Amino acid sequence: MHIDWFVFFAQIVNFLILAYVLKRLLYGRIVKAMDDRQARITSQIEEAQQMKDKARESAEAFEEKNRSLNEMAQDVLNKARDEAGKTRQDLIEKAREEVDLIQQRWYDTLGREKTSFLENLRKRSGTYVFETISRILFDLADQELEQSIVNKFVRLIREAGKESLDLLSHDRALQNTGIVIKSSFEISASQRSMILDELKHYTVADVEINFETSPAMVAGIEMLVSGHKYSWSIKDYIASLEERFAQLLKEEIPSIPDA
Amino acid sequence: MEILLLNQISPDQVVLLQWGFLRITATLLYTWFVMGILILGSWLITRKMSSDVHASRWQNLLEEVVSTIRNQIQEIIHDDPGDYLSFIGTLFLFIGLSNLLLIVPGYVSPTASLTTTSALAICVFIAVPLYGITKQGIVHYLKEYFQPTFIFFPFHIMGEITRTLALAVRLFGNMMSHDKVIAILLAVTPLFFPIIMHALGLLIGLVQAYIFAILAMVYIASATQAHEKKDGKEN
């Protein structure tokens, strides 16, 4: 075992040189690279963690916003539903009012038509009854109906005269107003003289008596004296017929109210 | 039949050049060869270092080696290995590569020379008090030699010397004997058995490099950390 001292010291120097060079070329660089990499990875992990936190916050904010929007949408929907319900109720009320109005108008129209119909019916009925009765009286009694009406009217004056027409004889106002006798037919001269003969028992001589023909009257005759009316007309009978006819019509159409 | 060449006995015996007391022996030549490989390889690999996640294979290899050395040092001293990495790492890499290159025909490891192992052991011998004084201060460090009483001072000195000697002789003995055993086996047995022994020799070479570096670190740690001075890890 022999030690070469030159080689011994040379090896020490060699080792020190190698340690120094490797420290510069190897360890320093490698350790620096590893530290840099670790720092970078740590930085990336921290950055990823931050992004993850940020993403989580964004997701939570989004969920919160979504929840808020849903609640808002629900509120708007509820409000719209309420408003729609209210509007529908208003429209129903309005429609009902319109229907009632239309129904009322219809009832009015129907009532007017009914009235017009009944009026027309009354006229026609009166006319037909007048014609029928005239024809019957003319055929059976061999006497004109008009004469019968005049006779009836004369009797009516006579019956009334006993009670109330006596007052006419003292009524000076009649000289101004006169007496108007309306009839549905033209009163003949003989018939007029019958009436005048009867009236002269109750009136002063200078009272003016006018005869008028009114087609609106139904087979009748009437006299207006100082606000009093003395009349006979088929109209009274026709009115009874009309009442019964209206009652019959109401029974046939019960939903139609009275006009 | 010549079974042992001169350089297989000891590379120190092979003198390539000599000027007076300056002698360039095979030991120095192979040492420079190993140093050249280490320096050139380190320069080539680390000249394009990347701190990115994706690094070259060679860089990964070196990072793994350096990282392993740092971890081994850290396990012993439980401290930052930065101050010891250069010294301990160079010991391991130099001895390890010297021993692994045995696979190259005609190569003789410098660690098979007692001169080389002694030089490395002396480096450890000097490094231990240097690190100890640097870390603890000279007074505190020298005080450890008189613990538990001053009577133990000679024994501490003897211990320092003997363990340094053991460090040198252990590495030298292992590497030198390996060469010799291979040579003898080659002469007396068929070809295959020496191949197995050769492979085993590579393993032994790495183990010896590991033992040398770890022991050096333990010695330094015992000098820098007084409470662990006699923990017996060298056994």
Side-chain angles (χ1 to χ4, degrees), chain A residues 107-163:
Chain A
Y107 284 157
D108 293 345
T109 305
L110 199 62
R112 282 195 296 273
E113 288 181 356
K114 177 184 168 187
T115 305
S116 172
F117 171 74
L118 290 177
E119 184 69 22
N120 194 21
L121 182 67
R122 186 179 61 188
K123 290 178 180 176
R124 293 193 176 191
S125 298
T127 305
Y128 293 151
V129 168
F130 173 74
E131 290 176 353
T132 305
I133 292 174
S134 298
R135 191 172 293 120
I136 290 171
L137 290 175
F138 182 79
D139 291 343
L140 294 182
D142 196 17
Q143 190 177 13
E144 288 185 0
L145 177 61
E146 294 167 357
Q147 185 60 46
S148 298
I149 291 174
V150 171
N151 293 339
K152 175 66 179 177
F153 184 64
V154 170
R155 284 197 301 272
L156 193 67
I157 291 173
R158 190 176 302 144
E159 291 172 1
K162 295 174 181 175
E163 298 173 359

Side-chain angles (χ1 to χ4, degrees), chain B residues 118-229:
Chain B
S118 299
L120 296 178
I122 285 297
C123 287
V124 175
F125 180 76
I126 295 170
V128 168
L130 282 180
Y131 277 114
I133 291 169
T134 303
K135 290 287 182 183
Q136 300 190 70
I138 187 169
V139 175
H140 197 267
Y141 174 75
L142 291 178
K143 197 185 289 181
E144 294 294 326
Y145 282 92
F146 298 95
Q147 299 295 332
T149 63
F150 68 93
I151 300 174
F152 280 84
F153 176 71
F155 297 107
H156 281 301
I157 297 297
M158 288 172 61
E160 295 285 338
I161 295 172
T162 51
R163 76 185 184 187
T164 303
L165 185 62
L167 206 59
V169 171
R170 180 188 299 110
L171 179 59
F172 165 71
N174 273 285
M175 298 318 297
M176 183 273 292
S177 62
H178 173 71
D179 276 356
K180 307 302 172 285
V181 168
I182 294 287
I184 292 169
L185 285 176
L186 198 60
V188 298
T189 59
L191 287 175
F192 298 106
F193 190 68
I195 291 175
I196 298 172
M197 290 301 293
H198 211 75
L200 188 61
L202 296 179
L203 179 63
I204 291 173
L206 271 184
V207 170
Q208 287 304 317
Y210 177 75
I211 290 172
F212 196 98
I214 288 296
L215 286 179
M217 191 62 242
V218 169
Y219 297 154
I220 292 171
S222 66
T224 55
Q225 299 168 349
H227 59 281
E228 291 182 0
K229 190 173 181 180

